Amino acid sequence: MMKISLQQVIYLISVLNSKYDKLANEVGYEYLFPLKINDEVLDNQEKEAQMQEDILALEVIGKDILTLKKALGDANHALREDNTSLYLLLEEVKLKRNLLARMENALTGHRKEVVSGVGVITYGVLNENLIRTKLEALEKEVNGLSEKIDRINSTTLIDVELIGEYKKILVDSRIFFVQETKNHRTKTCDVLLFYYDLEKTNGRV
């Protein structure tokens, strides 16, 4: 069992997804070897052993990804801020970021076009002042929501039971767990949370 912050869970999911994709690609494309030359069977035992090791690693990483995603999903629905679940905060900020991007795009979409038989057509956003006012207000809302979500993710610890050993990844990430008290906030480095003895594991993750 390992106790990590939601921020670390999100980071670990990202890292493991990349590892999974890389290994899956190797199994699918890089383990096609010559088996025979002029009916003489080639010795591929070492490569076959590596392939079996990669397939086993895929099984472990896949299970751990699902464990992490379930833990994150459960926490997102259970945690509340101002009587609103973290899940809804995430959905709200996603919607507002999407609208913000569309508004920014509209404001930069001014252009002129020459149309034969018509002349020069100037394109621009309708009521630019209104859009700019709405955009500024939306930026503040998005920033406020993002800060709130980041604070929750960095201050909330959950227990996860994983098959693989990933503490070195978390130490190397330098992601901080923020400890909050009533009067102040302090940052504790992962190295203090997860002491990792590389000598005992020969540097393996």
Side-chain angles (χ1 to χ4, degrees):
M1 188 72 71
M2 183 166 56
K3 188 180 289 292
I4 57 179
S5 70
L6 293 184
Q7 194 174 46
Q8 291 167 321
V9 170
I10 294 167
Y11 175 78
L12 196 51
I13 289 173
S14 176
V15 171
L16 293 186
N17 275 331
S18 296
K19 284 180 173 287
Y20 190 93
D21 289 342
K22 182 176 182 294
L23 284 174
N25 185 66
E26 290 177 357
V27 170
Y29 296 101
E30 297 187 21
Y31 284 115
L32 295 173
F33 296 105
L35 303 179
K36 295 180 181 179
I37 296 180
N38 297 326
D39 290 332
E40 181 180 346
V41 178
L42 301 178
D43 182 7
N44 287 317
Q45 290 185 355
E46 184 177 338
K47 295 170 183 175
E48 184 179 344
Q50 182 62 51
M51 183 181 70
Q52 291 176 355
E53 185 178 322
D54 288 346
I55 290 174
L56 178 60
L58 277 169
E59 293 176 359
V60 171
I61 293 172
K63 289 178 181 178
D64 285 342
I65 288 173
L66 293 177
T67 297
L68 288 165
K69 286 189 173 182
K70 182 182 184 303
L72 182 62
D74 290 346
N76 286 345
H77 283 87
L79 289 168
R80 295 195 165 271
E81 178 81 7
D82 298 330
N83 206 33
T84 301
S85 70
L86 179 55
Y87 170 77
L88 285 179
L89 289 176
L90 289 166
E91 290 297 309
E92 182 181 358
V93 77
K94 183 166 67 175
L95 286 172
K96 289 183 175 179
R97 277 179 181 158
N98 190 18
L99 178 57
L100 187 61
R102 299 296 191 276
M103 286 185 171
E104 289 173 341
N105 183 65
L107 289 174
T108 58
H110 295 274
R111 72 182 193 279
K112 292 184 179 182
E113 183 178 328
V114 179
V115 178
S116 178
V118 177
V120 179
I121 301 177
T122 300
Y123 292 90
V125 65
L126 296 173
N127 201 335
E128 182 173 334
N129 289 335
L130 174 63
I131 296 296
R132 288 194 180 279
T133 300
K134 292 291 184 182
L135 187 144
E136 290 174 4
L138 196 57
E139 280 182 332
K140 291 180 181 178
E141 290 180 35
V142 168
N143 290 337
L145 286 168
S146 296
E147 289 176 5
K148 187 180 294 186
I149 291 168
D150 288 344
R151 177 177 56 77
I152 295 172
N153 284 338
S154 64
T155 59
T156 302
L157 292 176
I158 60 173
D159 292 314
V160 290
E161 189 163 0
L162 304 175
I163 304 171
E165 176 58 74
Y166 309 113
K167 290 182 181 179
K168 182 179 181 298
I169 294 176
L170 292 173
V171 170
D172 289 346
S173 75
R174 312 297 295 173
I175 295 176
F176 290 95
F177 161 62
V178 180
Q179 293 180 311
E180 272 197 341
T181 63
K182 185 175 181 181
N183 298 319
H184 67 280
R185 304 172 76 195
T186 59
K187 289 184 176 181
T188 303
C189 182
D190 288 333
V191 174
L192 300 179
L193 287 172
F194 304 110
Y195 174 73
Y196 191 72
D197 190 343
L198 292 178
E199 292 181 355
K200 291 181 181 178
T201 59
N202 295 320
R204 287 182 287 106
V205 175

